Amino acid sequence: MAAQIINFLSADVPLGKSFWLDSQDELCKSSYPNVKNFTSHSENISSLRDFYTALKSHAAKGHCLIKGKLNKALNNEGRAASTKSDDSTRWICLDLDGAPYPTHQAFMAAQPELKDLSYIVQYSASHGIGAPPSKDSLSCHIFVLIDNAVPAPMLKTWLMELNLSNPTTREALSLTRTGAALHWPVDITACQNDKLLYITPPSVGKGVKCWIKEAERIQYVVGKLQHIAAKSIVPKRQLEALKEEERGLKNDLRVEQGLKPLRASSKWVGEY
């Protein structure tokens, strides 16, 4: 595999969550810090093992990972316009957000394109905090390499297709809190080049039970293949067809909850 650069970001505070018990012994948690300025750290990787080593190192330092290529180094500054939305990529982050699988192995085995792949799994900050991990709600990042570069927008279409075509993930589609959008068990925005991927282990206060050992938070899983073939993640359906199906599912769920269907509309913005 040819070498590629991945970029980590640091700030003046660790980019992770904290968990603690209040005076009533109730579990409390913080959100990820709302940070404006970042400093970038580039890593040159030639293999998934290199990726794993860099991920472990920067996670321990309280850094996060940015999905896309940076067009300039950041030095305690904002990251606006630092990535391009249509840049190609040679790695995927599968961001499982309450996905209906007992383990990461079960998720990978259930996707034909992902079987037999080597990958990195990094559990979310809240996974296993306070209670044992649920057997039907998996939250983690799974990182895999691609044998050739693919455009990030195409990858987003493939992630939509994965959610809609797999019966298990399709059944788990739900409405967001506002009821205006779908919650995807495999997040379709994790491939966007401006996306921040939080990798820092949680800070756990006294008395908080953590069911995952620190050494298990980020794991390298060996498979038969080191890369997914780019040709295997080309969407079989057009984006507009997938969006139409998304709208239908969203309105079906709204009706089930006693809400009115949303109607598509358009307006002119300048010449568009």
Side-chain angles (χ1 to χ4, degrees), residues 181-250:
L182 285 181
H183 170 263
W184 303 86
V186 184
D187 187 357
I188 65 172
T189 69
C191 63
Q192 294 175 183
N193 287 329
D194 63 347
K195 186 76 170 184
L196 295 182
L197 302 171
Y198 291 98
I199 59 174
T200 298
S203 173
V204 180
K206 183 178 179 180
V208 176
K209 178 66 175 177
C210 182
W211 294 81
I212 295 180
K213 296 178 181 178
E214 185 174 348
E216 297 174 343
R217 282 274 163 196
I218 302 177
Q219 302 176 34
Y220 182 94
V221 181
V222 178
K224 295 178 181 179
L225 304 173
Q226 285 295 304
H227 310 88
I228 188 170
K231 62 183 181 181
S232 72
I233 55 176
V234 175
K236 298 177 178 63
R237 299 170 61 193
Q238 295 295 317
L239 177 59
E240 189 49 48
L242 294 169
K243 286 186 174 181
E244 183 64 29
E245 185 173 353
E246 174 193 3
R247 286 190 286 268
L249 286 170
K250 179 170 58 183

